[in-house]
Coordinates of all heavy atoms in Angstrom, one line a residue:
K17 N 12.5 -6.6 -6.9 CA 13.1 -7.8 -7.2 C 12.1 -8.9 -7.8 O 12.5 -9.8 -8.5 CB 13.6 -8.4 -5.8 CG 12.5 -8.8 -4.8 CD 13.1 -9.3 -3.5 CE 12.1 -9.7 -2.5 NZ 12.7 -10.2 -1.2
A18 N 10.9 -8.6 -7.6 CA 9.8 -9.5 -8.2 C 9.7 -9.4 -9.7 O 9.1 -10.3 -10.3 CB 8.5 -9.4 -7.5
L19 N 10.3 -8.3 -10.3 CA 10.3 -8.2 -11.7 C 11.1 -9.3 -12.4 O 10.7 -9.7 -13.6 CB 10.9 -6.9 -12.1 CG 10.1 -5.6 -11.7 CD1 10.9 -4.3 -12.0 CD2 8.7 -5.6 -12.3
A20 N 12.1 -9.9 -11.7 CA 12.9 -10.9 -12.4 C 12.9 -12.2 -11.7 O 13.3 -13.2 -12.2 CB 14.3 -10.4 -12.4
A21 N 12.3 -12.2 -10.5 CA 12.2 -13.4 -9.7 C 10.8 -13.7 -9.2 O 10.1 -12.7 -8.9 CB 13.3 -13.4 -8.5
S22 N 10.5 -15.0 -9.0 CA 9.1 -15.3 -8.6 C 9.0 -15.0 -7.0 O 9.8 -15.6 -6.3 CB 8.9 -16.8 -8.8 OG 7.6 -17.2 -8.4
T23 N 8.1 -14.2 -6.7 CA 7.7 -14.0 -5.3 C 6.2 -14.1 -5.1 O 5.6 -13.2 -4.5 CB 8.2 -12.6 -4.8 OG1 7.6 -11.6 -5.6 CG2 9.7 -12.4 -5.0
E24 N 5.6 -15.1 -5.7 CA 4.2 -15.3 -5.8 C 3.5 -15.2 -4.4 O 2.3 -14.8 -4.3 CB 3.9 -16.6 -6.5 CG 3.6 -16.3 -8.0 CD 4.6 -15.7 -8.8 OE1 5.8 -15.8 -8.4 OE2 4.4 -15.1 -9.8
A25 N 4.2 -15.6 -3.3 CA 3.6 -15.6 -2.0 C 3.2 -14.2 -1.6 O 2.2 -14.0 -0.8 CB 4.5 -16.3 -1.0
S26 N 3.9 -13.2 -2.1 CA 3.7 -11.8 -1.7 C 2.3 -11.3 -2.2 O 1.8 -10.3 -1.7 CB 4.8 -10.9 -2.3 OG 4.9 -11.0 -3.6
E27 N 1.7 -12.0 -3.1 CA 0.4 -11.6 -3.6 C -0.7 -11.6 -2.6 O -1.8 -11.1 -2.7 CB 0.0 -12.3 -4.9 CG -0.5 -13.6 -4.7 CD -1.0 -14.2 -6.1 OE1 -0.3 -14.1 -7.1 OE2 -2.1 -14.8 -6.1
D28 N -0.4 -12.4 -1.5 CA -1.4 -12.6 -0.4 C -1.2 -11.6 0.7 O -2.0 -11.5 1.6 CB -1.4 -14.0 0.1 CG -1.8 -15.0 -0.9 OD1 -2.6 -14.7 -1.8 OD2 -1.5 -16.2 -0.7
D29 N -0.1 -10.8 0.6 CA 0.3 -10.0 1.7 C -0.4 -8.6 1.7 O 0.1 -7.7 1.1 CB 1.8 -9.8 1.7 CG 2.4 -9.2 3.0 OD1 1.6 -8.5 3.7 OD2 3.6 -9.4 3.3
T30 N -1.6 -8.5 2.3 CA -2.3 -7.3 2.3 C -1.7 -6.2 3.1 O -1.8 -5.0 2.8 CB -3.8 -7.6 2.8 OG1 -3.7 -8.1 4.1 CG2 -4.5 -8.5 1.9
S31 N -1.0 -6.5 4.2 CA -0.3 -5.5 5.0 C 0.8 -4.9 4.2 O 1.0 -3.6 4.4 CB 0.2 -6.2 6.3 OG 1.2 -7.2 6.0
L32 N 1.5 -5.6 3.4 CA 2.5 -5.0 2.6 C 2.0 -4.2 1.5 O 2.5 -3.0 1.3 CB 3.4 -6.1 1.9 CG 4.4 -5.7 1.0 CD1 5.5 -4.9 1.8 CD2 5.1 -6.9 0.3
A33 N 0.8 -4.5 1.0 CA 0.1 -3.7 0.0 C -0.2 -2.4 0.5 O 0.0 -1.3 -0.1 CB -1.1 -4.4 -0.6
I34 N -0.8 -2.4 1.8 CA -1.2 -1.1 2.4 C 0.0 -0.3 2.7 O 0.0 1.0 2.5 CB -2.1 -1.4 3.6 CG1 -3.4 -2.1 3.2 CG2 -2.3 -0.1 4.4 CD1 -4.2 -2.6 4.3
A35 N 1.1 -0.9 3.2 CA 2.3 -0.2 3.5 C 2.8 0.5 2.3 O 3.3 1.7 2.3 CB 3.3 -1.1 4.1
E36 N 2.8 -0.2 1.1 CA 3.4 0.4 -0.1 C 2.5 1.5 -0.6 O 3.1 2.5 -1.1 CB 3.5 -0.8 -1.2 CG 4.7 -1.7 -0.9 CD 6.0 -1.1 -0.9 OE1 6.3 -0.3 -1.8 OE2 6.8 -1.3 0.1
I37 N 1.2 1.3 -0.7 CA 0.4 2.4 -1.1 C 0.4 3.6 -0.2 O 0.3 4.8 -0.6 CB -1.0 1.9 -1.4 CG1 -1.8 2.9 -2.3 CG2 -1.8 1.6 -0.1 CD1 -1.4 3.0 -3.6
K38 N 0.6 3.3 1.1 CA 0.7 4.5 2.0 C 1.9 5.3 1.7 O 1.8 6.6 1.9 CB 0.8 3.9 3.5 CG -0.6 3.7 4.1 CD -0.4 3.3 5.6 CE -1.7 3.2 6.3 NZ -1.5 2.8 7.7
K39 N 3.0 4.7 1.3 CA 4.2 5.5 1.1 C 4.0 6.5 -0.1 O 4.6 7.5 -0.1 CB 5.3 4.5 0.6 CG 5.9 3.6 1.7 CD 6.9 2.7 1.1 CE 7.5 1.7 2.1 NZ 8.5 0.8 1.4
R40 N 3.0 6.2 -1.0 CA 2.8 7.1 -2.1 C 1.8 8.3 -1.7 O 1.6 9.2 -2.5 CB 2.1 6.2 -3.3 CG 2.9 5.1 -3.8 CD 4.3 5.4 -4.1 NE 5.0 4.5 -5.1 CZ 5.4 3.2 -4.8 NH1 5.3 2.8 -3.5 NH2 6.0 2.5 -5.7
K41 N 1.2 8.1 -0.6 CA 0.3 9.1 -0.1 C -0.7 9.5 -1.2 O -0.8 10.6 -1.6 CB 1.0 10.4 0.3 CG 2.0 10.1 1.5 CD 2.7 11.4 2.0 CE 3.6 11.1 3.2 NZ 4.3 12.3 3.6
P42 N -1.6 8.5 -1.6 CA -2.5 8.8 -2.7 C -3.5 9.8 -2.3 O -3.9 9.9 -1.1 CB -3.2 7.4 -2.9 CG -3.0 6.7 -1.6 CD -1.7 7.2 -1.1
G43 N -3.8 10.7 -3.2 CA -4.8 11.8 -3.0 C -5.9 11.8 -4.0 O -6.0 11.0 -5.0
K44 N -6.7 12.9 -4.0 CA -7.8 13.0 -4.9 C -7.5 13.2 -6.3 O -8.3 13.0 -7.3 CB -8.7 14.2 -4.4 CG -8.0 15.6 -4.5 CD -9.0 16.7 -4.0 CE -8.4 18.1 -4.1 NZ -9.3 19.1 -3.7
N45 N -6.3 13.7 -6.6 CA -5.8 13.9 -8.0 C -5.1 12.7 -8.6 O -4.8 12.7 -9.8 CB -4.9 15.1 -8.1 CG -5.6 16.4 -7.8 OD1 -6.8 16.6 -8.1 ND2 -4.9 17.4 -7.2
D46 N -4.9 11.7 -7.8 CA -4.2 10.5 -8.3 C -5.2 9.5 -8.9 O -6.4 9.5 -8.5 CB -3.4 9.9 -7.2 CG -2.3 10.7 -6.7 OD1 -1.6 11.3 -7.5 OD2 -2.1 10.8 -5.4
V47 N -4.8 8.6 -9.7 CA -5.5 7.5 -10.2 C -4.7 6.2 -9.9 O -3.6 6.0 -10.3 CB -5.8 7.5 -11.7 CG1 -6.5 6.2 -12.2 CG2 -6.6 8.8 -12.0
V48 N -5.4 5.2 -9.1 CA -4.7 4.0 -8.8 C -5.5 2.9 -9.7 O -6.7 2.8 -9.6 CB -4.8 3.6 -7.3 CG1 -4.4 2.2 -7.1 CG2 -3.9 4.5 -6.6
L49 N -4.7 2.2 -10.5 CA -5.3 1.2 -11.4 C -4.7 -0.2 -10.9 O -3.6 -0.5 -11.1 CB -4.8 1.5 -12.8 CG -5.6 0.7 -14.0 CD1 -5.4 1.5 -15.2 CD2 -5.1 -0.7 -14.1
G50 N -5.7 -1.0 -10.4 CA -5.3 -2.4 -9.9 C -5.5 -3.4 -11.1 O -6.5 -3.4 -11.7

């Protein structure tokens, strides 16, 4: 939803960031580009 609407407060939400990246189960063959 943030693609079309401003949700700037979410950029401070570190717990949400960890929850979202955990869903992807990143591993040794992945590349995460911040």
